[in-house]
Amino acid sequence: MKKLVGTILTATLLLAGCGQQSDEDTSVSAIKPIDINMSLVFTQNELLTQELIQVSDKIRQRTDGSVNIKVFPGGQLPVYKDNLEQVVNGANWIAVEDLSYLGDYVPDFAALAGPMLYNSYDEYLAMMQTDFVADLKQQVEQKGIKVLNADYMFGFRHMITNKEIKNAADMKGMRIRVPGSQLFISTLDSMGASPAALPFPETYAGVQQGVVDGLEGSILTMYSTKIYEVAKNMSLTKHFLGTVGIYISPTLWDKLTAEQQQIVTEELEAGAISNTAELVKLDAEYTQKLEDLGVTFNNVDTAEFSKLTADVYNQFPTWSKDIHRTINMELEKIRAVK
């Protein structure tokens, strides 16, 4: 009898153990790994790329590999408009692009990348926290694009030439290389230059041979591309601030658990803070390096250029009529609390 009771008890314990193991297996398999491609045009060695690689590594570690973001820099995958289309189509995809590309879906978003708006990195970061931008994010999410983060920057753009530029008169007739973007073309034209849409790989030779008189770009660009060998002056116009947003499909986002979403959000925020701190450091470091290489820096008549570029905001019919005034009102509020 004792043997029979012992046998029944042992069997019961074994069955209970098997049932418990089954429950654990179900719990583990409930979170299926998600592979997500992140596409960006920035090259492997650029600051922004390196920061996003670190972010993706930390997300992978903290989610035990269940959120596996693979970073594809240098345009290995579709970029620009095609990048955003992957997101809108609901692919397992994260697009890293300039805010202006959101303008194809919510036009006023492009105006946030317009000329002569921000005086500092902090002003841009504060703008991204306003109710005005929150409303634009809500609108674009309804179009199939969730803005995970818009705090990543890669520097102010300035005039890089062999001539000191202080005002519009100094730029008159100068052929300045710009990307093939209407916003860039309109801006440089309003500043007094003759914009020339030249492929970037041809720019060094273009300046060297006198095809163009210079280009516009950041301090980091001037150093990393060795443009300083053919252009020895940087006029600090700050006519554009280089920024990008991190975008995902709302459908894909909803496939992540609440915990996974929190981890992704936290790591992207931490990466943006790290990127800004490093950007400030590199701006100072590369300014010194360029000065040591014979580059001269000079300030410009910012007020004049701001006045001249104001009409650019009227050249895009899809933008709200008073968008320039609206953005400047937000910036005035930001500046008032400094």
Side-chain angles (χ1 to χ4, degrees):
M1 183 67 179
K2 287 182 180 180
K3 285 185 180 180
L4 179 59
V5 171
T7 301
I8 293 171
L9 181 59
T10 301
T12 302
L13 290 171
L14 283 171
L15 285 170
C18 289
Q20 185 178 354
Q21 184 65 42
S22 177
D23 289 342
E24 287 176 357
D25 288 345
T26 302
S27 175
V28 171
S29 63
I31 303 177
K32 295 181 180 178
I34 298 176
D35 293 326
I36 304 173
N37 292 334
M38 175 184 283
S39 178
L40 58 158
V41 73
F42 300 89
T43 59
Q44 178 78 24
N45 62 348
E46 290 186 75
L47 170 63
L48 198 139
T49 304
Q50 290 301 310
E51 291 287 356
L52 288 174
I53 288 172
Q54 290 181 43
V55 167
S56 65
D57 287 344
K58 289 176 181 177
I59 290 171
R60 191 178 302 108
Q61 291 166 9
R62 288 185 62 191
T63 62
D64 295 325
S66 64
V67 179
N68 180 33
I69 300 173
K70 304 174 186 176
V71 180
F72 291 87
Q76 296 177 57
L77 297 179
V79 291
Y80 305 134
K81 290 186 178 184
D82 294 339
N83 204 354
L84 266 293
E85 285 180 6
Q86 293 288 335
V87 171
V88 173
N89 291 336
N92 281 22
W93 198 276
I94 292 176
V96 180
E97 293 293 349
D98 187 291
L99 294 181
S100 62
Y101 288 97
L102 294 179
D104 290 339
Y105 303 89
V106 176
D108 283 350
F109 239 124
L112 288 167
M116 306 301 294
L117 290 177
Y118 312 103
N119 295 327
S120 68
Y121 297 148
D122 286 342
E123 284 185 4
Y124 171 77
L125 293 173
M127 174 63 81
M128 292 302 104
Q129 300 305 312
T130 61
D131 291 340
F132 170 67
V133 173
D135 180 61
L136 292 178
K137 287 179 180 179
Q138 205 168 42
Q139 291 181 48
V140 84
E141 186 162 347
Q142 292 171 2
K143 303 286 186 178
I145 302 170
K146 180 176 179 60
V147 181
L148 290 175
N149 194 291
D151 292 351
Y152 285 80
M153 299 173 286
F154 52 97
F156 280 102
R157 301 176 80 96
H158 312 289
M159 295 301 161
I160 303 171
T161 63
N162 278 308
K163 171 186 173 182
E164 183 180 78
I165 295 168
K166 289 190 174 181
N167 51 44
D170 293 333
M171 288 187 69
K172 188 174 181 180
M174 292 189 72
R175 285 178 55 78
I176 303 295
R177 183 270 170 188
V178 296
S181 156
Q182 190 56 51
L183 182 58
F184 277 77
I185 293 168
S186 295
T187 297
L188 270 289
D189 184 60
S190 71
M191 294 173 75
S194 297
L198 189 71
F200 193 76
E202 299 174 21
T203 304
Y204 184 103
V207 176
Q208 188 177 45
Q209 297 165 13
V211 175
V212 291
D213 298 307
L215 65 152
E216 55 80 53
S218 69
I219 292 169
L220 273 62
T221 295
M222 189 181 195
Y223 184 81
S224 64
T225 60
K226 297 189 175 182
I227 288 289
Y228 57 80
E229 293 176 346
V230 293
K232 292 293 185 181
N233 198 90
M234 176 170 269
S235 301
L236 302 172
T237 52
K238 289 187 175 180
H239 54 281
F240 284 123
L241 173 58
T243 68
V244 295
I246 317 295
Y247 317 121
I248 194 171
S249 163
T251 303
L252 175 59
W253 182 247
D254 288 343
K255 291 180 181 177
L256 273 59
T257 66
E259 183 182 4
Q260 289 172 332
Q261 290 177 351
Q262 183 177 348
I263 289 169
V264 171
T265 300
E266 288 174 354
E267 292 303 333
L268 281 172
E269 287 176 354
I273 292 169
S274 173
N275 182 75
T276 301
E278 192 64 20
L279 182 59
V280 171
K281 177 183 171 185
L282 289 178
D283 275 345
E285 181 182 328
Y286 285 112
T287 295
Q288 185 59 57
K289 286 183 177 182
L290 288 168
E291 286 179 337
D292 293 343
L293 289 163
V295 174
T296 301
F297 292 83
N298 69 273
N299 293 315
V300 305
D301 188 344
T302 304
E304 181 192 19
F305 285 127
S306 294
K307 185 177 179 180
L308 290 171
T309 57
D311 187 59
V312 171
Y313 294 85
N314 300 321
Q315 296 177 25
F316 295 86
T318 58
W319 295 5
S320 295
K321 185 179 179 181
D322 295 323
I323 190 62
H324 190 222
R325 181 172 174 272
T326 300
I327 293 173
N328 274 315
M329 285 176 63
E330 295 291 341
L331 286 169
E332 284 172 13
K333 294 177 193 173
I334 290 165
R335 290 163 186 157
V337 297
K338 281 187 177 180

